[in-house]
Amino acid sequence: MAGKIRSNKQSKRFNLKVLRALAWRVLLYFLMVTVLWVLAYRFINPPITVLMVMRNVERKADGKAFKIEKDWVDLQDISTAIQRAAVAGEDQLFVHHAGFDMKAISRAYSSNKDGSKVRGGSTISQQTAKNVFLWPGRSWVRKGFEAYFTILIELLWGKERILEVYLNVIEMGDGIYGAEAAAQAYYGKSCTELTRAQAAMIVACFPNPLRWTPLHPTRYIRHRQYLIMQNIRRLGPLKF
């Protein structure tokens, strides 16, 4: 009897040891794959994102045709107007923080906890990590992965690459991704030629580009455009 109890204890210790070893191995593989993935995208432009795939699944379910309009443009060729508009409208501390705006996160948490209108505290870095590496959603699991990838891109990419990727992959309309596709769709010109007012109008629609469009701006969107233009003047040139 004593031998059987001892055998059971040894078996449990063995199982725990195997599980720990397996968990460490899975964690190691995860770290290796994700670090290499992020490092690769420092030099390779992301060809497609999970959001683009999901949007087209939704389009197919609605009987619509496949649609992804995007055209990569290097940061130095993107109008400084839309670079500054994106920072002014989405993340005014972008060049200063290390991926997270703790004050904005705290304000968003307090607002959402009080039952007020749901608001986000995501920085451009967080939005880039979410758009490139993850799926849409608000679960804590996804938020955890978002924080992890945000730290990685801040460490491995730097601010200029983050802004470049952000302005090339973010959703800017139905099937429209990136500044170049948006500029062509809404103003019939390249993103290199956008004026400050046009750039601010595009960015004003970022929170919900499937609901709002620069082609038919609501009073609320025009007000956002005005505020973004004011912030552009206040922030001045971007200094990475």
Side-chain angles (χ1 to χ4, degrees):
M1 186 70 176
K4 187 178 291 187
I5 294 174
R6 193 180 305 113
S7 177
N8 288 338
K9 288 182 178 179
Q10 289 175 346
S11 178
K12 287 180 180 178
R13 282 199 294 267
F14 174 76
N15 289 337
L16 287 173
K17 187 176 181 180
V18 170
L19 286 174
R20 280 197 294 265
L22 180 61
W24 279 111
R25 186 172 297 179
V26 169
L27 178 60
L28 180 61
Y29 286 155
F30 172 77
L31 292 174
M32 288 175 58
V33 169
T34 52
V35 168
L36 288 174
W37 188 13
V38 172
L39 188 59
Y41 275 178
R42 178 180 178 181
F43 307 101
I44 302 170
N45 299 330
I48 197 167
T49 67
V50 175
L51 178 63
M52 294 177 190
V53 174
M54 291 181 66
R55 288 290 189 242
N56 276 284
V57 170
E58 293 170 1
R59 291 181 67 84
K60 187 173 182 179
D62 292 337
K64 298 179 181 178
F66 180 91
K67 182 182 179 183
I68 295 181
E69 294 180 13
K70 66 183 183 71
D71 189 6
W72 192 277
V73 178
D74 293 337
L75 187 65
Q76 63 265 26
D77 296 322
I78 297 176
S79 166
T80 56
I82 196 162
Q83 293 183 41
R84 294 169 64 196
V87 173
E90 293 293 294
D91 183 5
Q92 295 174 34
L93 297 177
F94 173 66
V95 297
H96 304 292
H97 62 60
F100 307 93
D101 184 345
M102 302 313 296
K103 289 184 178 179
I105 292 173
S106 178
R107 288 195 300 270
Y109 176 78
S110 298
S111 176
N112 299 338
K113 185 178 179 181
D114 293 341
S116 304
K117 183 178 179 181
V118 176
R119 57 185 293 179
S122 295
T123 62
I124 284 176
S125 301
Q126 289 174 272
Q127 292 180 52
T128 304
K130 174 185 70 176
N131 274 274
V132 175
F133 300 103
L134 301 171
W135 62 95
R138 293 182 176 275
S139 70
W140 287 109
V141 172
R142 206 229 57 185
K143 277 292 184 183
F145 281 121
E146 179 185 300
Y148 171 72
F149 279 105
T150 298
I151 293 169
L152 283 187
I153 64 174
E154 282 281 344
L155 290 173
L156 299 177
W157 288 6
K159 295 295 185 180
E160 291 181 81
R161 179 60 174 171
I162 291 171
L163 186 60
E164 179 180 56
V165 174
Y166 176 76
L167 289 174
N168 275 285
V169 304
I170 190 170
E171 186 177 36
M172 298 189 183
D174 183 18
I176 299 170
Y177 302 90
E180 180 65 14
Q184 294 288 355
Y186 301 130
Y187 298 111
K189 61 170 68 174
S190 172
C191 67
T192 62
E193 303 170 320
L194 287 173
T195 66
R196 185 169 58 186
Q198 291 168 342
M201 178 60 74
I202 290 174
V203 173
C205 299
F206 275 11
N208 195 336
L210 299 183
R211 176 184 177 186
W212 297 313
T213 170
L215 296 178
H216 306 288
T218 62
R219 181 180 298 179
Y220 170 72
I221 291 301
R222 289 195 181 280
H223 180 62
R224 275 184 56 84
Q225 177 197 30
Y226 168 77
L227 294 178
I228 290 169
M229 292 179 70
Q230 292 293 103
N231 287 336
I232 290 173
R233 296 190 189 95
R234 183 174 57 81
L235 291 174
L238 296 179
K239 296 179 181 179
F240 297 105

